[in-house]
Amino acid sequence: MANSNLPRRIIKETQRLLSEPAPGISASPSEENMRYFNVMILGPSQSPYEGGVFKLELFLPEEYPMAAPKVRFLTKIYHPNIDKLGRICLDILKDKWSPALQIRTVLLSIQALLSAPNPDDPLSENIAKHWKTNEAEAVETGELTAFLLALRHKKFPSSHSSLLFANFYS
Amino acid sequence: MDSDEDLLDAYDGDSAEDYYYSGGDSDVDDYIAGGDEDEDDGGDCGYASDDDSTLRSEKVYTVLKVSDIQQRQEESISHVSSVLSISRVAACVLLCHYKWNVSQLHDEWFADEEKVRRTVGLLSRPVVQFPNAKELTCGICFESHPLDQIHSAVCGHPYCTTCWKGYITTSINDGPGCLLLRCPDPSCRASVGQDMILKLASDEDKEKYSRYFVRSYIEDKKKTKWCPAPGCENAVEFELGSNIYDVTCLCSHGFCWNCTEEAHRPVDCGTVSKWILKNSAESENMNWILANSKPCPKCKRPIEKNQGCMHMTCTPPCKFEFCWLCLGAWSDHGERTGGFYACNRYEAAKQEGLYDEAERRREMAKNSLERYTHYYERWASNQTSRQKAIADLHQMQTVHLEKLSDKLKEPESQLKFVIEAWQQIIECRRVLKWTYAYGYYLPEHEHAKKQLFEYLQGEAEAGLERLHQCAEKELLVFLGDDEPQADFKTFRPKLAGLTRVTRSYFENLVRALENGLSDVNTQPACSTSISSKNADGAGKGKGGKGKGSTSRSGRNAARDGDDDDHWNCDRCTYANPDSVSSCQMCHNER
Ligand SMILES: [Zn+2]
Ligand SMILES: [Zn+2]
Ligand SMILES: [Zn+2]
Ligand SMILES: [Zn+2]
Ligand SMILES: [Zn+2]
Ligand SMILES: [Zn+2]
Ligand SMILES: [Zn+2]
């Protein structure tokens, strides 16, 4: 039902996401709802998250692209701009959203956020404090979390159906 | 008729005011008169006599209607666009960014025009161009559109009409950020001009946009604020630097410009917020006090307070006259208690075993509420009285005045004194109300101050009660169907006189309280020290410091003694003709 009257823009974006995926990112629409995407982001190299695979969900609200997509981490992650529920503090998902941005640009920005956490704009106070006072330790803890939580993903190719992971995380 | 008019003329002049306003013999009267002189270097903007207040409102604050704001915006836009040689649309963009601070805009523009242009997104030329295209792909819907359906800001980034409309309407419905709208391209951020927004927005959105535009002029500035009255669209511009914040909007709402609570002179903003906080913390305990009826102290039947003044009369056959506040007999109020009303005094409320109401209160007194209750009840009563007076004034203006004018065959303009009396009552009720918050926070251990305060407050209460009663009850006679025309001739000067006396007294009261009753500790408030101040004040007055100087020297003259054919009542300061031996206002013996 939700898939009828899907705007041309969403169809085009989806096609391009599938045909030319951005490096380290996969996004595929759910079969029941073409506005709901299962997303996987690889922890960027030379970041505390290197080697991790992070699962996210992305939803395009009715107003999209006038309103920003809703994105959330499903994999637990230790990051100053991401809270326990996986909500992300990122300007383009809020007041800096522009309809000229796309799903692809959003996901690339999230990937960049993993490479360069921003402790000055924290969503998770504790982690940010921790991060600021003892970066080395934080990096270690982040690494550990990423490692432990993402280890199991690594065994599967990232293009694999996300349903496989449902047993582990939900 | 002639003599009547003469009388009226006399009341209009300064001299009449000075007659009413005269120092009594008591130290305290002099003290409060002294407050006037003390004030001369401070911002002199009490709610003064009419002429004073017009002077003040020009100086200290200006009420801006929506049309005034629009006109000022218009002037700024024209000015900026001509001085910077830019379009009006660009001028709007700049002014919104610079929060309508024209001089800062000028400074920064002439220091580094390029930087300013970059910051606000005012490009001089497009960054992308499609000279030969017949069709362009919209950057939002990804569809191709013929050129006539493609729009762009100065930058040239192409988006179709539908997408622009969506973009603009989303932004307008998101809030005032739409005034700083930029090109949708995240790397571009060129400003989107008002012309484009108004061309593409729906009528409803255009209206919202204009409202934000007007609002930006008020909300972005330090010295302008909206009138907080519900439904009022006016703003008030305040001359920063003045420390007296009471302003009155054209909608007649009086508020404190600093904290936007209702006007609260002589109490300062901090005390007001403490008091309001206290009230909300105690609201449950106070509910019963707000009840509009009390048992008659004599027959115990509940008597409803439906008049503004505190003088209650029980229904027949009891007809007991009592004071709403202290439930004491009305006959104990006034002369016999030595010239001031005891019912404002906290101590008096504690007197033993007089009434049931007092019993009840004593129970509460087991905890610390008693003291607060005393002040709160009086604060709330004056508030209620004030509301009633506002309604009465309205009734007077819309119904009674015309009736009265018909009946007495006098033009309504000649009956202005009735309206003025009601306006004065409303204002005084407000002041009196806040003096109870003032009293509550007056330190217990400062006995001299407290005593003086209670005396001054008691006098204020009594004076206002006289005025309120005169305007409320004595006027009733003339609204009836009988023809008591003769009495009106004496009623007019009485009410007008009471209005002036009360105004004067309250002005001085406010000043004295605002000075923190400061003289009380440093020097005994005695006649000699005041008279030397008077001489001083009169000297300065000659220098002509605004309006104050004339009335000041005039007052001094009047205070020098009873003038020719008048004598001034010691108690209420009313100027009585020599032919009578007791005061026409308060029946005090000469
Ligand atoms: Zn652009
Ligand atoms: Zn479009
Ligand atoms: Zn107003
Ligand atoms: Zn205030
Ligand atoms: Zn009774
Ligand atoms: Zn009383
Ligand atoms: Zn008198």
Side-chain angles (χ1 to χ4, degrees):
Chain A
M1 268 316 236
N3 297 340
S4 56
N5 296 327
L6 204 63
R8 281 281 294 279
R9 156 152 176 170
I10 295 180
I11 296 169
K12 283 189 181 171
E13 273 199 76
T14 309
Q15 282 168 352
R16 197 165 154 237
L17 278 169
L18 295 172
S19 61
E20 322 162 28
I25 295 173
S26 87
S28 50
S30 132
E31 276 167 30
E32 305 87 69
N33 184 350
M34 295 285 284
R35 287 177 176 271
Y36 184 90
F37 289 75
N38 296 298
V39 177
M40 226 93 66
I41 297 181
L42 297 181
S45 59
Q46 280 158 19
S47 81
Y49 307 98
E50 183 171 2
V53 179
F54 297 91
K55 190 172 180 251
L56 299 88
E57 60 179 3
L58 182 148
F59 178 72
L60 303 176
E62 196 54 45
E63 304 79 35
Y64 183 83
M66 291 309 161
K70 308 216 176 300
V71 198
R72 184 169 84 94
F73 271 85
L74 296 176
T75 309
K76 277 200 176 19
I77 182 168
Y78 187 82
H79 190 288
N81 310 110
I82 300 163
D83 73 3
K84 264 196 276 185
L85 298 173
R87 292 173 303 193
I88 308 161
C89 181
L90 185 61
D91 57 358
I92 59 160
L93 291 176
K94 298 178 206 159
D95 54 320
K96 291 280 159 50
W97 170 254
S98 157
L101 291 165
Q102 302 177 26
I103 299 172
R104 172 187 301 270
T105 39
V106 166
L107 296 179
L108 284 168
S109 300
I110 292 172
Q111 194 182 42
L113 192 66
L114 294 183
S115 298
N118 179 9
D120 291 323
D121 184 19
L123 198 59
S124 170
E125 266 316 322
N126 281 340
I127 299 179
K129 217 184 280 166
H130 195 186
W131 204 283
K132 270 185 172 169
T133 49
N134 193 343
E135 191 168 345
E137 196 193 321
V139 167
E140 229 166 69
T141 323
E143 228 161 10
L144 186 67
T145 316
F147 179 73
L148 289 174
L149 292 174
L151 189 61
R152 280 164 279 192
H153 292 269
K154 242 185 151 179
K155 296 178 181 157
F156 308 99
S158 61
S159 58
H160 206 286
S161 162
S162 56
L163 284 173
L164 271 173
F165 304 114
N167 298 331
F168 293 99
Y169 302 102
S170 65
Chain B
M1 237 9 179
D2 272 349
S3 62
D4 245 342
E5 265 160 21
D6 287 345
L7 208 48
L8 203 62
D9 286 344
Y11 283 118
D12 283 334
D14 259 330
S15 57
E17 185 182 339
D18 295 330
Y19 286 141
Y20 289 116
Y21 183 85
S22 73
D25 289 336
S26 89
D27 293 351
V28 182
D29 276 352
D30 276 343
Y31 172 79
I32 204 161
D36 188 37
E37 269 73 36
D38 286 341
E39 188 65 16
D40 35 355
D41 292 321
D44 188 5
C45 42
Y47 36 89
S49 47
D50 290 338
D51 34 4
D52 263 356
S53 65
T54 35
L55 186 80
R56 176 197 62 205
S57 58
E58 277 166 20
K59 248 177 90 181
V60 179
Y61 69 92
T62 319
V63 180
L64 301 172
K65 289 177 294 199
V66 171
S67 57
D68 299 326
I69 298 168
Q70 283 166 331
Q71 195 191 331
R72 285 178 174 216
Q73 290 183 307
E74 186 54 41
E75 282 160 14
S76 293
I77 295 165
S78 304
H79 175 77
V80 165
S81 111
S82 80
V83 173
L84 308 189
S85 312
I86 51 174
S87 69
R88 291 175 51 85
V89 172
C92 284
V93 170
L94 285 166
L95 283 164
C96 284
H97 269 276
Y98 280 85
K99 302 179 186 299
W100 299 91
N101 185 337
V102 176
S103 63
Q104 191 198 349
L105 166 56
H106 279 179
D107 290 352
E108 294 190 15
W109 180 271
F110 290 116
D112 191 346
E113 182 183 327
E114 267 319 301
K115 188 175 159 216
V116 173
R117 280 180 175 277
R118 252 197 328 274
T119 319
V120 308
L122 215 56
L123 308 189
S124 347
R125 70 192 78 80
V127 292
V128 288
Q129 272 170 312
F130 308 94
N132 303 317
K134 285 203 177 73
E135 284 203 330
L136 283 175
T137 304
C138 165
I140 293 175
C141 65
F142 300 174
E143 309 272 356
S144 285
H145 296 274
L147 283 189
D148 64 346
Q149 278 180 43
I150 289 284
H151 309 268
S152 52
V154 183
C155 57
H157 291 115
Y159 303 100
C160 75
T161 311
T162 316
C163 289
W164 266 115
K165 284 186 173 171
Y167 184 61
I168 288 169
T169 194
T170 305
S171 158
I172 291 176
N173 286 292
D174 266 1
C178 62
L179 299 176
L180 305 174
L181 194 65
R182 310 268 195 159
C183 166
D185 187 301
S187 62
C188 166
R189 311 317 264 164
S191 68
V192 177
Q194 229 178 56
D195 48 347
M196 186 150 164
I197 291 168
L198 296 177
K199 194 170 75 189
L200 294 170
S202 68
D203 285 348
E204 192 192 330
D205 286 346
K206 262 188 261 190
E207 206 173 288
K208 275 190 203 155
Y209 182 88
S210 326
R211 230 174 300 145
Y212 284 130
F213 191 67
V214 169
R215 270 170 53 176
S216 75
Y217 187 83
I218 299 302
E219 284 159 26
D220 288 347
K221 284 186 153 176
K222 278 205 187 70
K223 53 185 227 171
T224 48
K225 278 183 189 168
W226 295 112
C227 166
C232 177
E233 293 195 316
N234 298 333
V236 174
E237 181 179 61
F238 194 79
E239 219 40 72
L240 296 177
S242 165
N243 57 349
I244 291 170
Y245 293 113
D246 277 12
V247 301
T248 306
C249 178
L250 295 175
C251 75
S252 89
H253 178 62
F255 65 99
C256 167
W257 194 85
N258 191 42
C259 70
T260 65
E261 287 294 339
E262 58 155 45
H264 55 66
R265 285 187 77 191
V267 178
D268 61 50
C269 301
T271 306
V272 169
S273 70
K274 254 198 301 189
W275 179 252
I276 289 172
L277 208 69
K278 174 88 184 156
N279 290 349
S280 64
E282 303 287 3
S283 63
E284 216 151 88
N285 294 316
M286 291 305 115
N287 272 342
W288 65 271
I289 275 173
L290 290 175
N292 225 23
S293 77
K294 286 186 180 182
C296 163
K298 205 171 167 194
C299 71
K300 312 296 180 211
R301 271 185 303 165
I303 302 301
E304 207 170 309
K305 184 172 188 291
N306 47 19
Q307 284 179 313
C309 90
M310 303 300 168
H311 183 173
M312 308 298 295
T313 306
C314 186
T315 46
C318 170
K319 286 185 168 172
F320 182 62
E321 292 181 46
F322 62 97
C323 165
W324 170 262
L325 288 180
C326 70
L327 297 171
W330 191 253
S331 53
D332 291 344
H333 289 70
E335 303 97 283
R336 279 174 41 198
T337 49
F340 64 92
Y341 284 15
C343 61
N344 71 310
R345 301 186 61 193
Y346 170 57
E347 289 306 316
K350 289 211 285 198
Q351 273 173 16
E352 295 288 328
L354 287 177
Y355 313 111
D356 286 354
E357 195 72 14
E359 283 288 338
R360 213 167 133 197
R361 212 160 295 181
R362 245 190 325 279
E363 267 173 52
M364 286 181 68
K366 282 175 191 144
N367 54 52
S368 63
L369 267 181
E370 190 194 26
R371 188 172 169 273
Y372 169 69
T373 304
H374 170 89
Y375 290 99
Y376 179 74
E377 180 175 12
R378 281 147 185 82
W379 180 84
S381 294
N382 276 294
Q383 165 73 2
T384 315
S385 262
R386 181 168 185 269
Q387 296 306 336
K388 175 75 168 55
I390 290 173
D392 284 346
L393 169 62
H394 182 75
Q395 180 77 355
M396 188 59 64
Q397 282 170 320
T398 51
V399 182
H400 293 331
L401 202 63
E402 197 183 341
K403 221 165 118 189
L404 205 59
S405 146
D406 275 359
K407 233 180 111 185
L408 302 167
K409 307 198 172 39
E410 292 216 40
E412 284 187 24
S413 60
Q414 291 294 300
L415 299 173
K416 224 178 80 189
F417 74 97
V418 176
I419 302 300
E420 283 167 0
W422 278 105
Q423 286 167 337
Q424 196 58 48
I425 290 166
I426 292 166
E427 171 65 4
C428 290
R429 284 283 170 213
R430 191 187 63 66
V431 172
L432 195 54
K433 172 178 121 174
W434 285 112
T435 63
Y436 282 104
Y438 190 98
Y440 181 74
Y441 291 108
L442 202 60
E444 281 289 307
H445 60 271
E446 298 199 43
H447 296 296
K449 259 189 196 178
K450 207 163 170 68
Q451 225 177 343
L452 174 60
F453 168 74
E454 284 181 349
Y455 177 84
L456 297 175
Q457 190 186 41
E459 286 291 279
E461 189 116 51
L464 176 54
E465 217 49 58
R466 274 197 298 272
L467 172 63
H468 205 154
Q469 198 172 336
C470 184
E472 195 171 53
K473 293 185 180 146
E474 294 181 31
L475 190 66
L476 275 183
V477 182
F478 305 103
L479 296 171
D481 291 329
D482 323 329
E483 306 255 321
Q485 270 239 25
D487 287 334
F488 199 75
K489 281 187 182 150
T490 51
F491 176 75
R492 180 200 301 275
K494 182 176 178 187
L495 186 60
L498 278 175
T499 305
R500 278 181 192 282
V501 172
T502 313
R503 170 160 61 217
S504 232
Y505 186 88
F506 271 77
E507 274 167 33
N508 291 316
L509 175 70
V510 165
R511 288 185 189 133
L513 296 186
E514 279 177 344
N515 286 340
L517 301 167
S518 51
D519 284 0
V520 83
N521 289 330
T522 51
Q523 56 179 91
C526 64
S527 314
T528 41
S529 75
I530 292 298
S531 31
S532 66
K533 256 192 219 163
N534 287 349
D536 198 31
K540 275 187 209 161
K542 295 263 156 43
K545 232 189 182 177
K547 174 71 179 68
S549 54
T550 42
S551 64
R552 196 173 294 137
S553 44
R555 276 171 194 174
N556 291 335
R559 203 178 294 132
D560 284 341
D562 293 350
D563 240 304
D564 307 350
D565 49 351
H566 285 85
W567 61 275
N568 299 316
C569 170
D570 280 354
R571 191 141 66 78
C572 74
T573 71
Y574 184 81
N576 294 286
D578 275 338
S579 54
V580 298
S581 64
S582 67
C583 174
Q584 289 180 329
M585 284 302 139
C586 70
H587 311 297
N588 189 35
E589 291 300 318
R590 184 171 184 176

